[in-house]
């Protein structure tokens, strides 16, 4: 399944966290799949089926929502960590999708018994709350499920193992939520018996994969295995550090990898930030470099910017280096992967935002509140385009001068090296920098 090795000579030791450095959809699926070639374990640590991670291999396209993006590599063990919220329907569909491609998860998937379950009432609530709140959620029940988790009333994967207790918990959970639906939303009640039957059946199907992933992953780390922690969403959607309240309900930032997997911070040896060569955002919330004009439309068209989970058109804009520098700071990014560089191939000029101002005054720090962020005026630097197709198999030195200049500007501003360039959706469409080849042999 792995095919030819693209990352010849590149080894990832210990624990590398791979995160989205913007508002999600940066190309995490593609990059994690690529890195997974060298990993023993790939572990998702937060979010749920709100994620849509795309991997393109030849003429096949896989969109993963819950299963880690290392699943195409037979030798790699995939872990769904305790920080993830699991929708049985989405997981079952995903397993079936993979099986239809001849990919078996047998022996290759481990699900944390501490992960919380998404219930049908979470999905319904997500949609009902959205009517007033207008965050533009994916409607996958993510927020309401995390609410129950932090309210200490959630149902976890481990609860599936005790059928009697599960039935009691389900009945109580559904009873409470039905009361809410009736009183607060005047919405129809959910069918208790149907849901109980569905979850008991789900238990039968995933029983073999449920395990203590915290112990598994710690033992893997201590025995020197290479582990990739796969983030979903992006740093600017982080519940604490993102553009609150227009965020998701978990911690996509690198710190989330520790709590979401049960790995100590001392285990983490490197953090890869994935950034698109421009910016996109799905759903509501401030987006300083958004282009609501022909150029934005051009980016959407060339980049096929439509959500992998909901199909919604993504909002598009220029690369925001001020936001990316903030992202690098809160995540501790030590290398960048710049994806979708090919989308800019035919642009005459490319802008990058290098600062914000409000009422003519420069903004010093990335604003902590969305109302302020919505007011900023982005300050741009204009760089020349390169007008050619970028080819894999070349070194960074062989890139057109203008492309090199674009990368240098990013590196200088963000203070992190760009080590990989995405030049197409396919697995092989990547340019690996010389530095990655040399230094990743010992990157921890
Ligand atoms: P993720 O959520 O971060 O995994 O990203 P998505 O899968 O939601 O969206 C990224 C989209 O861009 C997918 O359709 C990928 O196949 C595609 N993609 C990834 N890297 C590249 C690249 O370097 N160039 C182009 N043109 N497409 C890419
Ligand atoms: P991946 O992993 C892009 C956005 C939604 C909405 C906000 C809250 O594919 O990058 P939620 O359903 O999480 O409560 O929605 O977060 N969002 C994403 N945007 N990519 C994602 O995942 C996203 N997951 C959630 O559009 O604005
Ligand atoms: Mg996505």
């Amino acid at each position: 399944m792995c095919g030819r090795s693209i990352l010849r000579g590149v080894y990832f030791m210990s624990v590398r966290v791979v995160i989205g450095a913007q508002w999600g959809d940066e190309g995490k699926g593609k990059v994690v799949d690529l890195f997974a070639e060298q990993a023993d374990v790939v572990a998702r640590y937060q979010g749920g089926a709100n994620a849509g991670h795309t991997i393109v291999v030849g003429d096949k396209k896989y969109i993963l929502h819950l299963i880690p993006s290392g699943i195409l590599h037979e030798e790699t063990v995939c872990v769904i960590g305790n920080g993830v919220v699991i929708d049985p329907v989405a997981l079952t569909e995903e397993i079936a999708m993979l099986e239809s491609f001849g990919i078996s998860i047998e022996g290759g998937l481990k699900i944390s018994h501490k992960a919380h379950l998404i219930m049908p009432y979470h999905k319904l609530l997500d949609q009902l709350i959205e009517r007033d709140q207008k965050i533009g959620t994916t409607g996958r029940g993510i927020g309401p499920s995390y609410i129950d988790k932090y309210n200490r009333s959630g149902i976890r994967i481990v609860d599936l193992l005790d059928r009697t207790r599960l039935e009691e918990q389900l009945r109580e959970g559904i009873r409470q939520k039905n009361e809410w639906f009736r009183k607060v939303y005047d919405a129809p009640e959910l069918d208790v018996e149907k849901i109980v039957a569905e979850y008991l059946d789900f238990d039968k199907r995933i029983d073999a994969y449920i395990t203590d992933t915290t112990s598994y992953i710690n033992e893997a780390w201590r025995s020197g295995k290479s582990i990739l922690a796969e983030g979903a969403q992006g740093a600017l959607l982080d519940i604490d550090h993102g553009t609150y309240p227009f965020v998701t309900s978990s911690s996509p930032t690198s710190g989330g990898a520790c709590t979401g997997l049960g790995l100590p911070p001392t285990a983490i040896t490197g953090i890869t930030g994935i950034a698109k060569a421009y910016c996109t955002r799905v759903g509501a919330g401030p987006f300083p470099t958004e282009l609501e004009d022909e150029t934005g439309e051009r980016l959407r068209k060339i980049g096929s910017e439509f959500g992998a989970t909901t199909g919604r058109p993504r909002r598009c804009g220029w690369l925001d280096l001020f936001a990316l520098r903030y992202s690098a700071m809160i995540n501790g990014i030590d290398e960048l992967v710049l994806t979708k560089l090919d989308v800019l191939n035919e642009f005459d000029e490319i802008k990058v935002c290098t600062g914000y101002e409000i009422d003519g005054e420069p903004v010093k720090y990335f604003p902590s509140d969305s109302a302020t962020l919505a007011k900023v005026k982005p300050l741009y630097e204009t760089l020349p385009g390169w007008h050619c197709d970028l080819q894999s198999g070349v070194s960074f030195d062989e890139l057109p001068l203008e492309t090199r200049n674009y990368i240098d500007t990013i590196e200088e501003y963000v203070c992190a090296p760009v080590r990989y360039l995405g030049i197409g959706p396919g697995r092989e469409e990547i340019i690996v920098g010389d530095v990655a080849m040399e230094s990743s042999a010992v990157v921890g």
Side-chain angles (χ1 to χ4, degrees):
M1 200 66 221
C2 292
R4 171 170 83 77
S5 169
I6 300 163
L7 300 186
R8 290 174 301 276
V10 182
Y11 300 102
F12 303 94
M13 311 281 288
S14 305
V15 186
R16 180 157 283 274
V17 185
V18 180
I19 57 122
Q22 295 154 325
W23 281 285
D25 302 328
E26 299 89 349
K28 297 175 290 293
K30 170 178 165 159
V31 173
V32 170
D33 165 68
L34 187 73
F35 284 12
E37 206 179 283
Q38 305 290 343
D40 298 302
V41 180
V42 177
R44 258 286 295 275
Y45 60 85
Q46 46 68 235
N50 48 351
H53 295 180
T54 315
I55 306 173
V56 177
V57 185
D59 60 357
K60 294 200 177 67
K61 182 172 174 175
Y62 308 85
I63 299 179
L64 300 167
H65 303 286
L66 279 164
I67 294 182
S69 304
I71 197 70
L72 304 189
H73 300 266
E74 264 167 46
E75 306 296 314
T76 308
V77 174
C78 287
V79 170
I80 300 182
N82 56 278
V84 177
V85 283
I86 299 176
D87 174 6
V89 180
L91 183 61
T92 310
E93 281 174 8
E94 204 163 313
I95 293 170
M97 180 275 289
L98 287 168
E99 282 171 353
S100 77
F101 280 110
I103 297 154
S104 167
I105 56 155
E106 211 78 18
L109 181 67
K110 294 185 189 293
I111 302 174
S112 168
H113 57 200
K114 290 191 271 194
H116 281 245
L117 281 162
I118 293 205
M119 311 299 297
Y121 47 75
H122 291 138
K123 287 187 264 188
L124 188 55
L125 261 177
D126 196 357
Q127 285 148 26
L128 292 170
I129 295 169
E130 183 62 21
R131 289 204 304 224
D132 303 322
Q133 218 176 9
K134 306 220 174 341
I135 301 289
T137 73
T138 57
R140 299 298 191 264
I142 306 298
S145 170
Y146 280 114
I147 290 174
D148 278 358
K149 172 174 176 173
Y150 288 98
N151 191 39
R152 293 152 295 179
S153 56
I155 301 181
R156 302 192 298 169
I157 290 283
V158 68
D159 299 320
L160 292 172
L161 303 176
D162 182 337
R163 295 173 75 85
T164 318
R165 204 179 62 194
L166 172 66
E167 205 169 322
E168 274 168 27
Q169 283 179 308
L170 279 173
R171 286 186 191 284
E172 181 52 20
I174 300 166
R175 188 194 62 75
Q176 280 178 16
K177 294 296 188 304
N178 269 341
E179 214 171 296
W180 236 27
F181 289 141
R182 204 177 46 244
K183 290 187 184 157
V184 182
Y185 294 104
D186 197 21
E189 295 186 8
L190 293 167
D191 182 340
V192 182
E193 299 309 324
K194 188 168 164 267
I195 297 172
V196 169
E198 267 170 23
Y199 277 71
L200 290 176
D201 182 54
F202 174 62
D203 164 39
K204 265 191 265 161
R205 274 176 289 139
I206 66 151
D207 216 32
Y209 309 109
I210 303 175
T211 189
D212 176 355
T213 56
T214 309
S215 300
Y216 170 78
I217 210 158
N218 274 280
E219 277 170 14
W221 163 51
R222 286 182 185 281
S223 63
K225 295 215 164 120
S226 298
I227 297 166
L228 277 182
E230 176 181 5
Q233 289 78 54
L236 303 176
L237 287 172
D238 186 275
I239 185 76
D240 286 285
H241 304 290
T243 52
Y244 193 89
F246 303 100
V247 291
T248 192
S249 303
S250 66
S251 304
T253 39
S254 54
C258 293
T259 49
L261 295 174
L263 268 173
T266 44
I268 310 295
T269 42
I271 293 138
T272 303
I274 307 177
K276 238 177 233 187
Y278 48 98
C279 275
T280 61
R281 170 162 210 170
V282 201
F287 181 178
T289 62
E290 181 170 17
L291 295 163
E292 291 176 283
D293 58 9
E294 268 175 32
T295 311
E297 193 52 51
R298 196 173 165 204
L299 285 171
R300 186 175 307 114
K301 198 160 168 237
I302 304 175
S304 305
E305 294 297 354
F306 295 90
T309 296
T310 59
R312 290 179 289 177
R314 295 174 182 148
R315 300 157 63 192
C316 297
W318 294 122
L319 180 61
D320 187 339
L321 290 179
F322 194 69
L324 189 56
R325 185 159 67 180
Y326 166 73
S327 183
M329 175 182 81
I330 58 175
N331 286 293
I333 289 171
D334 65 4
E335 66 172 20
L336 282 165
V337 180
L338 194 63
T339 60
K340 305 194 93 162
L341 196 57
D342 55 299
V343 174
L344 301 178
N345 280 352
E346 294 310 323
F347 279 71
D348 294 332
E349 289 185 334
I350 302 163
K351 291 188 181 183
V352 290
C353 165
T354 51
Y356 298 156
E357 62 176 35
I358 297 180
D359 300 331
E361 291 296 317
V363 174
K364 194 168 175 200
Y365 299 117
F366 189 74
S368 308
D369 80 301
S370 283
T372 308
L373 188 61
K375 278 197 294 204
V376 303
K377 180 180 167 221
L379 304 172
Y380 288 112
E381 205 173 296
T382 304
L383 303 170
W386 43 90
H387 288 289
C388 66
D389 284 349
L390 302 171
Q391 306 293 331
S392 50
V394 299
S395 73
F396 276 23
D397 288 341
E398 293 168 289
L399 291 168
L401 201 66
E402 294 82 1
T403 318
R404 189 59 250 182
N405 183 32
Y406 194 62
I407 297 163
D408 287 348
T409 307
I410 296 169
E411 289 185 331
E412 251 168 58
Y413 196 87
V414 179
C415 295
V418 174
R419 294 210 167 126
Y420 307 86
L421 304 174
I423 52 162
R427 191 186 252 173
E428 319 254 318
E429 292 177 294
I430 191 112
I431 299 177
V432 182
D434 302 335
V435 180
M437 284 291 191
E438 286 154 23
S439 67
S440 291
V442 285
V443 210

